[in-house]
Amino acid sequence: MTCVYCGGEMLPERAEAGYDYCLTEACQVKGLDKSEREFRKEYTIGLVHKSNFVWVKKSELRSLNVRADLESM
């Protein structure tokens, strides 16, 4: 299998694990950036108390007050 970013050969183990990019630094940055954007489409950060943050699925929120939504669950 080949890397979607550079076209280089990938390790078969990475392809089996679901990755579509190789281990070079440039491809890692692009691949991680893409996966983080996909993650943030579905999840948002919720402040629980002062500096305690938790990832919350956007579809589970009922208002813009994340803390109140978490307490009501």
Side-chain angles (χ1 to χ4, degrees):
M1 182 157 192
T2 59
C3 174
V4 296
Y5 299 116
C6 71
E9 284 296 316
M10 288 178 27
L11 296 172
E13 293 85 12
R14 278 192 66 78
E16 289 174 16
Y19 294 99
D20 58 355
Y21 53 91
C22 66
L23 291 172
T24 62
E25 187 175 347
C27 296
Q28 287 282 320
V29 169
K30 292 175 187 175
L32 292 175
D33 185 46
K34 177 185 169 194
S35 63
E36 182 176 344
R37 284 195 312 270
E38 292 298 318
F39 180 81
R40 287 179 179 260
K41 284 180 184 176
E42 193 170 340
Y43 290 89
T44 187
I45 297 175
L47 175 63
V48 179
H49 184 303
K50 293 187 180 178
S51 63
N52 295 332
F53 295 92
V54 53
W55 288 102
V56 181
K57 202 167 193 175
K58 290 179 180 179
S59 62
E60 295 177 2
L61 297 177
R62 287 177 248 138
S63 68
L64 294 177
N65 188 343
V66 175
R67 186 173 178 187
D69 286 347
L70 290 174
E71 290 172 354
S72 68
M73 289 181 174

